[in-house]
């Protein structure tokens, strides 16, 4: 590993990365995995290093162009400082100012948060990934440029010299945290270093136009223009769902038809549209279950009404608000009684938690997690279920936004206990879970060698948990199932499994929760869970 990195080292004008990790630096994986050669990431290309700011570590997420002159550097530094001041103004940050101030003022530097951070631990405790590292830069800048602190303040809180190399490295560092907020949960003072990371992203996006293309240009901008971050228009998504209905009907022997734009429906179901393209069996399973349970439900073909994602939750308040209003407008036009959010963790955060600060009055339409709706259906006895159809080892991945942020912990477990006789927990689990490593947008980000970084660092703890959960049957060729009721988490787990050849070597697959329910339905043809595609 590189030498210890101090805060001021981020201001070094050299292009040389501050951190170089090698395999021996990383936290060990279970023996069964390390018996074979572990892949490591490729270096960033010379062309990217010459044209972009890549001076932080061994990867590059932003492809941030280097300034062409000292004048441009100075202008960027000034824009950062102006944005910093707006971040602490009530009129410009009414959403998160209070918890941000608490974090700036109350952190005592006890480092309890460090032991809770999976990125810090997986990297072999690399200093720049310590949760307080980036927060301390913002804190010193806050006391110096916002509070106007002088000599006594610098002695008390520490000093910081902001230059462009430091700000560029800080921008990259804002994308080395999954925003899982496990650190915030562990803090005895209530400080939230995950929020600090998110607010840094907001500053860079709203004030400097710096954001990953996958989240902004190819994410929320496409969703606002087309209706979905996948680029699917209403016509396209309806064609895809029609195809899925036909496929599920043939596969299960039960006619499935998805209702569209039903005015006055009890439930407006909004999926992450990525499910429709990548895991079509999930929306198909939902349609079959809701129809079988007699739920009066609908999907919407209004713009953004058929895609629950809201990437603004990860990096930009303005983009967040624009997308959230589209979601609620779709529900208002149909006069539905409530919105039910499909298997997507960050959509839960956007609509059911952060949305509470935006969606007031007529926009405050009831929102519910699909976990509770599915739990109520399964326990109601409306479905004829045979748990022995799920007689294979199953473990549950807890999406951070569902469990730690919302407290939705038991409904998914009540379902699994009812339909999966060989269900076993990961350690730890529930609100103490570890992020999949794809949270905060990482699962859709793979520029340069960033996919290598999240496979080896941010996803490392989850991989270890999965191996440990199946330690009693790891060598068996019988299939094993990781239930991940979140589209974003499934994307990360898919990439983890491909990268480390998990299915090939250990026959561990993954999927959603709705699929397991349909797999247990007696009136469905056996074998709904398909292992062949892993």
């Amino acid at each position: 590993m590189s030498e210890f990195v101090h805060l001021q080292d981020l201001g070094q004008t050299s292009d040389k990365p501050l951190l170089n990790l090698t395999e021996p630096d990383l936290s060990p994986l279970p023996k069964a995995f390390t018996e074979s050669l572990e892949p490591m990431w490729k270096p960033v290309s010379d062309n990217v290093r010459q044209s972009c700011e890549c001076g932080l570590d061994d990867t590059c997420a932003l492809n941030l162009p280097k300034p062409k002159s000292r004048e441009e550097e100075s202008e960027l530094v000034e824009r950062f400082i102006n944005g910093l001041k707006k971040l602490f103004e009530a009129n410009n940050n009414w959403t998160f100012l209070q918890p941000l101030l608490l974090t700036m003022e109350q952190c005592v530097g006890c480092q309890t948060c460090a032991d809770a951070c999976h990125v810090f631990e997986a990297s072999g405790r690399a200093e720049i990934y310590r949760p307080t590292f980036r927060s301390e830069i913002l804190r010193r800048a806050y006391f110096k440029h916002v509070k106007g602190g002088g000599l006594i303040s610098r002695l008390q809180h520490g000093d910081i010299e902001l230059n462009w190399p430091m700000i560029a490295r800080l921008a990259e560092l804002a994308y080395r945290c999954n925003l899982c907020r496990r650190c915030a949960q562990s803090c005895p003072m209530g400080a939230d270093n995950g929020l600090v990371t998110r607010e840094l992203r907001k500053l860079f996006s709203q004030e400097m136009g710096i954001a990953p293309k996958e989240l902004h240009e190819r994410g929320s901008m496409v969703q606002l223009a087309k209706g979905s971050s996948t680029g699917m228009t209403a016509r396209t998504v309806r064609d895809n769902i029609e195809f899925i209905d036909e496929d599920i009907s043939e596969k299960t022997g039960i006619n499935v038809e998805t209702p569209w734009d039903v005015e006055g429906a009890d439930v407006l179901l909004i999926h992450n549209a990525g499910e429709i393209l990548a895991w079509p069996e999930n929306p198909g399973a939902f349609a079959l279950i809701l129809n079988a349970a007699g739920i009066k439900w609908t999907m919407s073909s209004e713009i953004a009404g058929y895609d629950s994602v809201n990437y603004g939750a990860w990096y930009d308040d303005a983009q967040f608000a624009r997308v959230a209003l589209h979601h609620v407008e779709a529900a208002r036009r149909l006069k539905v009684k409530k919105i039910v959010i499909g298997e997507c963790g960050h959509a839960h955060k956007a609509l059911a938690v952060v949305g509470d600060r935006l969606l007031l009055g007529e926009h405050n339409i009831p929102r519910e997690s699909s976990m509770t709706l599915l739990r109520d259906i399964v326990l109601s006895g409306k479905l004829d279920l045979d748990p022995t159809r799920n007689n294979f080892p199953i473990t549950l991945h807890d999406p951070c936004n569902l469990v730690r942020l919302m407290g939705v912990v038991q409904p998914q477990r009540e379902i699994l206990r009812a339909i999966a006789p060989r269900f076993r927990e990961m350690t730890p689990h529930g609100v103490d879970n570890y992020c999949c490593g794809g949270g905060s947008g990482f699962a859709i980000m793979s520029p340069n060698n960033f996919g290598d970084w999240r496979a080896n660092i941010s996803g490392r703890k989850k991989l270890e948990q999965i191996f440990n959960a199946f330690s009693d049957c790891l060598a068996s060729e019988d299939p094993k199932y990781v239930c991940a009721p979140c589209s974003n988490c499934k994307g990360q787990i898919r990439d983890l499994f491909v990268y480390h050849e998990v299915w090939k070597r250990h026959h561990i697959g993954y999927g959603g929760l709705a699929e397991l329910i349909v797999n247990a339905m007696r009136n469905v043809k056996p074998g709904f869970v398909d292992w062949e595609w892993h």
Side-chain angles (χ1 to χ4, degrees):
M1 187 183 291
S2 311
E3 295 180 358
F4 187 87
V5 178
H6 300 272
L7 286 183
Q8 290 294 353
D9 293 336
L10 263 69
Q12 289 181 9
T13 54
S14 166
D15 287 341
K16 183 181 178 183
L18 298 178
L19 177 67
N20 289 290
L21 291 173
T22 58
E23 195 276 336
D25 297 324
L26 310 184
S27 64
L29 287 170
K31 184 180 177 183
F33 187 83
T34 55
E35 285 175 342
S36 59
L37 183 63
E38 187 174 358
M40 286 294 292
W41 57 82
K42 305 175 291 294
V44 175
S45 72
D46 291 340
N47 185 44
V48 172
R49 286 200 185 281
Q50 289 170 7
S51 60
C52 299
E53 299 288 0
C54 302
L56 180 68
D57 53 8
D58 295 318
T59 189
C60 183
L62 291 173
N63 279 359
L64 185 58
K66 291 181 177 178
K68 295 181 174 58
S69 64
R70 290 292 179 88
E71 289 75 17
E72 188 178 351
E73 284 193 10
S74 298
E75 181 188 347
L76 288 166
V77 173
E78 186 176 348
R79 286 171 64 186
F80 178 84
I81 293 174
N82 289 337
L84 175 70
K85 293 174 181 174
K86 291 172 71 174
L87 205 59
F88 291 94
E89 294 173 356
N91 290 339
N92 285 309
N93 193 12
W94 54 269
T95 43
F96 299 109
L97 178 58
Q98 188 174 14
L100 183 61
L101 281 173
L102 184 149
T103 303
M104 291 293 100
E105 302 275 359
Q106 301 299 322
C107 176
V108 296
C110 69
Q111 302 302 328
T112 305
C113 56
D115 291 331
C117 177
H118 61 290
V119 173
F120 180 61
E121 184 176 342
S123 68
R125 305 177 79 83
E127 185 63 15
I128 64 170
Y129 299 147
R130 183 185 294 276
T132 55
F133 190 88
R134 65 180 72 81
S135 299
E136 186 58 25
I137 296 172
L138 186 69
R139 184 174 295 105
R140 293 187 183 192
Y142 159 74
F143 281 110
K144 183 173 185 175
H145 295 283
V146 179
K147 302 278 282 188
L151 176 61
I152 295 177
S153 176
R154 291 198 295 274
L155 292 173
Q156 182 179 0
H157 303 293
D159 196 11
I160 194 84
E161 290 297 329
L162 294 177
N163 61 6
W164 173 244
M166 173 170 286
I167 292 170
R169 288 188 174 103
L170 187 60
E172 274 289 335
L173 195 52
Y175 289 90
R176 299 295 187 276
C177 165
N178 284 118
L179 308 183
C180 78
R181 300 179 68 251
R182 201 168 187 266
C183 59
Q185 182 174 265
S186 72
C187 179
M189 304 301 292
D192 189 342
N193 290 302
L195 176 68
V196 168
T197 304
R198 198 272 177 184
E199 293 300 277
L200 278 170
R201 293 183 182 188
K202 181 169 78 179
L203 189 164
F204 283 115
S205 176
Q206 295 184 188
E207 303 300 327
M208 304 178 73
I210 297 171
K213 289 183 179 179
E214 295 88 343
L215 304 189
H216 187 67
E217 288 181 30
R218 300 199 290 266
S220 59
M221 294 301 291
V222 173
Q223 186 174 18
L224 290 168
K226 301 285 188 179
S228 168
S229 59
T230 64
M232 285 193 292
T233 63
R235 182 67 261 167
T236 307
V237 78
R238 290 188 67 148
D239 286 346
N240 275 291
I241 289 290
E242 183 179 348
F243 175 80
I244 291 170
D245 286 348
E246 291 174 0
D247 188 54
I248 296 296
S249 298
E250 182 179 348
K251 185 174 183 179
T252 62
I254 296 176
N255 184 50
V256 175
E257 188 171 341
T258 294
W260 286 94
D261 300 322
V262 179
E263 190 170 314
D266 293 336
V267 167
L268 168 62
L269 177 64
I270 310 183
H271 291 291
N272 178 322
E275 297 281 335
I276 296 166
L277 295 179
W279 301 283
E281 63 280 3
N282 183 270
F286 265 94
L288 193 153
I289 292 168
L290 297 189
N291 289 345
I295 303 294
K296 185 180 178 184
W297 70 288
T298 187
M299 287 183 66
S300 168
S301 59
E302 290 285 341
I303 192 165
Y306 51 90
D307 189 356
S308 65
V309 309
N310 189 337
Y311 294 167
W314 294 324
Y315 78 100
D316 190 302
D317 283 355
Q319 291 297 89
F320 168 84
R322 293 177 183 120
V323 173
L325 286 172
H326 275 302
H327 286 145
V328 173
E329 279 302 315
R332 284 188 63 226
R333 289 194 186 98
L334 289 176
K335 301 181 178 63
V336 297
K337 293 180 180 174
K338 63 183 174 184
I339 298 171
V340 169
I341 308 157
E343 294 187 12
C344 177
H346 97 267
H348 279 74
K349 174 180 182 177
L351 263 176
V353 180
V354 184
D356 276 349
R357 300 184 67 79
L358 171 74
L359 305 173
L360 308 175
E362 62 182 1
H363 292 110
N364 190 14
I365 296 172
R367 283 95 70 193
E368 180 182 344
S369 169
S370 55
M371 297 296 99
T372 52
L373 179 64
L374 291 175
R375 184 269 316 273
D376 292 347
I377 291 172
V378 167
L379 299 187
S380 71
K382 291 179 179 177
L383 307 180
D384 187 11
L385 299 168
D386 177 6
T388 64
R389 290 192 172 193
N390 287 325
N391 190 26
F392 42 84
I394 295 173
T395 192
L396 175 66
H397 163 66
D398 284 304
C400 301
N401 290 312
L402 262 178
V403 294
R404 192 155 35 250
L405 186 66
M406 291 184 65
V408 181
V409 177
Q410 291 305 322
Q412 53 272 41
R413 288 175 164 75
E414 292 176 66
I415 294 170
L416 288 173
R417 290 181 193 121
I419 66 169
R422 298 173 70 183
F423 167 57
R424 75 274 306 276
E425 293 277 14
M426 293 187 194
T427 303
H429 56 266
V431 297
D432 295 319
N433 76 312
Y434 283 106
C435 176
C436 63
S440 80
F442 288 5
I444 58 171
M445 292 168 55
S446 295
N448 305 304
N449 58 0
F450 193 70
D452 295 314
W453 185 88
R454 61 184 171 89
N456 283 290
I457 304 295
S458 65
R460 194 175 191 84
K461 201 67 184 175
K462 181 53 59 181
L463 195 62
E464 177 187 345
Q465 279 194 288
I466 291 170
F467 276 108
N468 286 337
F470 295 125
S471 60
D472 62 325
C473 53
L474 209 53
S476 167
E477 293 190 358
D478 293 338
K480 298 159 274 282
Y481 190 97
V482 178
C483 177
C486 168
S487 185
N488 191 73
C489 299
K490 280 195 295 192
Q492 166 70 1
I493 291 172
R494 172 196 58 200
D495 293 351
L496 266 180
F497 282 14
V498 170
Y499 191 92
H500 296 288
E501 299 184 331
V502 172
W503 170 256
K504 178 181 177 182
R505 294 159 58 181
H506 299 290
H507 289 82
I508 303 174
Y510 71 96
L513 180 60
E515 295 92 309
L516 288 174
I517 297 173
V518 172
N519 199 55
M521 292 175 67
R522 278 197 176 89
N523 57 341
V524 166
K525 293 179 183 176
F528 184 76
V529 169
D530 187 358
W531 303 99
E532 299 302 320
W533 59 270
H534 285 92

